[in-house]
Amino acid sequence: MNRFLLLLLCLPVWGALATPVPGYRLSLIVQGIHSAKPEFSVNHDERMQPASLQKLLTATAAAIELTPDFRYQTTLTADPSRIKGDTLEGDLYLNFTGDPELSRAQLRELWQQLKDKGIRKITGNLYLMDGIFSGYPRGRGWAWDDLGVCFTAPSSAIIIDHNCVQGALYPTKLNEKARLHIPDFQPIHVQSEVMTLSAEQAKQQFCSLDLKRLDKNRYWLSGCMPLQEKPLPLNFAVSNPSLFGKDVVIGQLKKAGITLKGKAIIAHQLKGPGTTLAWVQSPPLKEMVTTMLKESDNLIADALLKTLGHHYFKQAGNYRNGVAAMKVILQKKAGLTLTHTPLEDGSGLSSRNLISAQQLITLLRYIAIDMPWLKAALPVAGMDGTLKYRSGFTQAPLKGDVHAKTGTMAHVSNLAGFIKTESGKEKAFVLMVSGLTGPTDESSAAIRHYARSISQYEASILEMIYYGDPIDIYD
């Protein structure tokens, strides 16, 4: 199982600032919200991997095009004239819309609404409509060895419970296979061959967990791990969301006590015919975007991007037309030119995304002036989201005075947002660091130490901005 999000890389401390390892690249720009020119910049035009800073673009474009009150709707449609007593003598259509927050509980609500209309039997087929999105469920340039875990769950029209299944591994008996637990109601199958070794054996054998994704939502987990008393939490990204959705829907239908005489069939039309018999909806976009930014939720970001493509171009949404829509929207409304900027997704998971600090500072200034609610949706240092426990951000002077989006992936650590200085002025900043190298010791303690080193490096730069000191970056 891939550890790249955990291998946050080292910037050893020297003096007031950390000195990045040889070969690093740094881009930094600081600018007043209403200032025409930056106060400080270095390499601000150099294109670098944004990682989850990409979500700033997705959030802004979605808020402009879809509006903060937008909600996804999932509906059941049919011909009401075919309802005879407690029986629908025809087909029923379940219309998925790519709602990233759709849950099993909401599916149960749909079936309850159908029962409230007196329907207990369906003689026709149940069609699961997934035509609102097209193309790949994951973006180009995503790391292949991350695709089995939930932060890369597929962005498809059919999304239920985040297309993610939780489980646990119990390596509690030495020299035996670790016991695996997957809830019985989850329609996936995982075979585990993971052995439990002593800490010394695990170190000598370079133990790791390896996950293979097979067809029909089957997985094979192998490798070894050291003995421990507590279970290891696991999460599996659904490989086939259509099959997963069909299995979940059938299970929910049976639990609701509704009989389906026909078959459950995946259909690729945009929406089924007939009148709406039942419907559920997502939280408003403003709430979803806040979750996306605070928790850096990849699935919400990519679902919103594809929805942009669908909404703007009036066709099935995908990564390609979603990015195209985002670029046009941000150019027209935010004055952000992205014509020759390579972007592949809405989440920032793709290594092919490249953007400059100058472009991001333009976006941040637009957010601050025209969308203050979006600025408020950013993580707050020491308070919430991905900045709640970040080392160097949990105490004065940064706690509560930095609102910023984090962006972390292999060899990359970024931060972009706003800081309220000691003098009371508010400034926008973008700090992007790439080309980092990791610790030779991959123990949990070493990884945590290196993560703290990076965070403290970022915090030391922001403290200079906070106090109005000259920004001194060592080469």
Side-chain angles (χ1 to χ4, degrees):
M1 192 170 292
N2 186 274
R3 298 186 298 276
F4 87 90
L5 283 185
L6 296 177
L7 292 176
L8 296 177
L9 311 169
C10 174
L11 296 172
V13 175
W14 177 53
L17 266 184
T19 303
V21 294
Y24 84 102
R25 295 162 58 209
L26 180 144
S27 179
L28 173 65
I29 186 168
V30 182
Q31 189 167 344
I33 302 300
H34 298 283
S35 301
K37 296 181 180 180
E39 298 177 9
F40 179 88
S41 67
V42 58
N43 300 326
H44 61 278
D45 283 328
E46 185 172 353
R47 287 199 174 106
M48 300 175 72
Q49 290 178 329
S52 283
L53 299 190
Q54 181 86 349
K55 295 181 177 72
L56 293 169
L57 282 72
T58 307
T60 308
I64 292 170
E65 176 68 14
L66 303 175
T67 75
D69 295 326
F70 168 84
R71 294 174 186 258
Y72 290 92
Q73 286 196 347
T74 304
T75 61
L76 288 173
T77 59
D79 181 353
S81 68
R82 304 295 298 275
I83 299 175
K84 310 295 183 183
D86 67 351
T87 303
L88 171 60
E89 297 179 349
D91 298 324
L92 181 66
Y93 299 87
L94 176 49
N95 303 293
F96 289 94
T97 55
D99 178 358
E101 299 280 39
L102 185 67
S103 66
R104 276 181 169 85
Q106 287 181 299
L107 289 177
R108 289 195 293 271
E109 184 180 340
L110 280 175
W111 300 129
Q112 185 59 51
Q113 289 181 39
L114 206 63
K115 289 177 69 175
D116 290 344
K117 294 183 181 297
I119 298 173
R120 299 292 188 276
K121 298 177 184 177
I122 304 165
T123 61
N125 295 321
L126 171 62
Y127 289 94
L128 283 65
M129 313 301 289
D130 72 349
I132 201 165
F133 290 167
S134 64
Y136 295 116
R138 295 177 170 93
R140 297 194 304 172
W142 290 17
W144 67 268
D145 52 341
D146 294 325
L147 300 183
V149 288
C150 284
F151 65 84
T152 63
S155 173
S156 54
I158 299 176
I159 300 174
I160 301 172
D161 289 343
H162 246 61
N163 282 347
C164 173
V165 173
Q166 306 292 332
L169 199 61
Y170 294 79
T172 55
K173 294 185 178 181
L174 192 63
N175 296 321
E176 293 187 12
K177 290 181 183 180
R179 181 172 63 87
L180 175 70
H181 173 71
I182 303 292
D184 291 338
F185 64 85
Q186 295 287 12
I188 71 168
H189 177 74
V190 184
Q191 180 180 351
S192 175
E193 301 291 335
V194 178
M195 291 299 298
T196 304
L197 305 179
S198 69
E200 184 60 29
Q201 287 175 316
K203 184 176 181 180
Q204 291 176 353
Q205 296 190 25
F206 301 93
C207 274
S208 67
L209 297 182
D210 300 312
L211 180 66
K212 290 185 179 180
R213 299 180 301 123
L214 309 175
D215 63 345
K216 298 181 180 179
N217 291 322
R218 296 181 301 128
Y219 306 80
W220 183 41
L221 190 62
S222 61
C224 56
M225 64 181 300
L227 179 73
Q228 61 186 51
E229 293 182 3
K230 294 182 179 180
L232 175 70
L234 299 175
N235 60 78
F236 299 90
V238 171
S239 294
N240 186 330
S242 295
L243 177 60
F244 178 76
K246 184 165 72 171
D247 288 341
V248 170
V249 166
I250 291 173
Q252 293 292 317
L253 192 64
K254 290 179 180 178
K255 284 186 177 181
I258 298 176
T259 302
L260 175 66
K261 295 294 186 181
K263 297 179 179 180
I265 300 171
I266 303 295
H268 303 301
Q269 290 85 0
L270 190 61
K271 183 179 179 181
T275 300
T276 298
L277 302 181
W279 62 278
V280 293
Q281 62 182 3
S282 71
L285 181 135
K286 185 175 182 179
E287 185 176 326
M288 287 188 288
V289 162
T290 299
T291 299
M292 178 184 79
L293 294 176
K294 295 282 189 187
E295 307 302 330
S296 204
D297 191 295
N298 295 319
L299 185 61
I300 293 176
D302 286 314
L304 286 176
L305 182 83
K306 291 185 175 182
T307 303
L308 278 177
H310 165 67
H311 193 272
Y312 192 86
F313 292 110
K314 310 302 179 187
Q315 57 186 250
N318 52 49
Y319 283 110
R320 186 178 292 273
N321 61 26
V323 167
M326 181 169 67
K327 287 184 175 184
V328 173
I329 292 164
L330 294 179
Q331 169 73 55
K332 287 182 178 180
K333 298 295 184 180
L336 177 59
T337 301
L338 297 166
T339 306
H340 301 294
T341 301
L343 302 175
E344 294 289 348
D345 59 20
S347 60
L349 283 170
S350 176
S351 61
R352 300 185 185 187
N353 294 321
L354 293 174
I355 197 167
S356 71
Q358 178 63 67
Q359 290 171 307
L360 288 170
I361 208 79
T362 298
L363 182 68
L364 287 172
R365 293 175 66 231
Y366 171 80
I367 289 172
I369 295 169
D370 292 273
M371 289 190 168
W373 72 265
L374 199 53
K375 172 177 168 290
L378 294 170
V380 183
M383 305 292 285
D384 60 25
T386 55
L387 288 181
K388 185 173 184 178
Y389 302 110
R390 200 175 185 89
S391 181
F393 291 78
T394 59
Q395 64 278 328
L398 302 183
K399 183 177 180 179
D401 284 327
V402 173
H403 292 63
K405 182 72 194 75
T406 53
T408 305
M409 61 191 304
H411 314 300
V412 171
S413 184
N414 302 327
L415 197 63
F418 307 91
I419 182 170
K420 185 178 180 181
T421 66
E422 185 181 36
S423 64
K425 294 182 180 179
E426 191 169 47
K427 300 178 182 181
F429 70 89
V430 179
L431 171 60
M432 306 175 77
V433 182
S434 66
L436 304 173
T437 56
T440 55
D441 179 2
E442 294 187 5
S443 68
S444 297
I447 291 170
R448 286 194 297 269
H449 170 74
Y450 288 123
R452 286 194 299 270
S453 297
I454 293 180
S455 300
Q456 290 165 359
Y457 171 69
E458 296 167 337
S460 63
I461 292 178
L462 291 183
E463 286 183 19
M464 292 179 181
I465 300 171
Y466 177 85
Y467 288 117
D469 295 337
I471 299 176
D472 188 8
I473 299 175
Y474 300 105
D475 291 324

